Amino acid sequence: MPELKTFGLFAITALAEILGCYLPYLWLREGKTIWLLVPGALSLMAFVWLLSLHPAAAGRVYAAYGGVYIFMAILWLWTVNGIRPTTWDIVGSAVALLGMAIIMFAPRTT
């Protein structure tokens, strides 16, 4: 069950980061209100805080988080942007998630 908790925390962390970058994008590229910067900044602060909640060494957490971020970005592409992922998007996401699992859950000697 710690694996599911770790993945869930990474997924929420990735969502906070993606949202924190997407809202300023809407302002800069889509001409939306500048007020989107406020929830964008709050979302990025949440991202930093959430990333700090993992008990593993920071470098390992950052490396493994990247795999979940890739998966969540492809999911965002599909659900928010309405662009269906290609087979290669899915394969790449699966490889990234496998890398995350190896980094986070491999047996360690202390």
Side-chain angles (χ1 to χ4, degrees), residues 65-110:
Y65 164 72
V68 177
Y69 179 87
I70 291 167
F71 170 77
M72 292 298 290
I74 296 298
L75 192 61
W76 183 277
L77 175 74
W78 192 6
T79 59
V80 175
N81 297 121
I83 300 170
R84 189 163 193 233
T86 67
T87 300
W88 295 111
D89 293 332
I90 294 167
V91 169
S93 295
V95 169
L97 287 175
L98 178 62
M100 180 278 299
I102 291 168
I103 291 168
M104 288 304 292
F105 308 124
R108 306 253 186 261
T109 57
T110 53

Side-chain angles (χ1 to χ4, degrees), residues 10-79:
F10 274 146
I12 293 167
T13 303
L15 186 59
E17 182 180 10
I18 292 168
L19 187 61
C21 295
Y22 185 69
L23 294 175
Y25 169 85
L26 289 176
W27 169 61
L28 288 168
R29 299 290 301 247
E30 305 289 327
K32 304 292 183 188
T33 178
I34 195 168
W35 289 104
L36 288 174
L37 296 179
V38 174
L42 293 172
S43 187
L44 288 174
M45 285 189 284
F47 154 70
V48 172
W49 174 72
L50 288 164
L51 204 53
S52 75
L53 296 179
H54 290 274
R60 184 171 292 131
V61 169
Y62 299 154
Y65 164 72
V68 177
Y69 179 87
I70 291 167
F71 170 77
M72 292 298 290
I74 296 298
L75 192 61
W76 183 277
L77 175 74
W78 192 6
T79 59

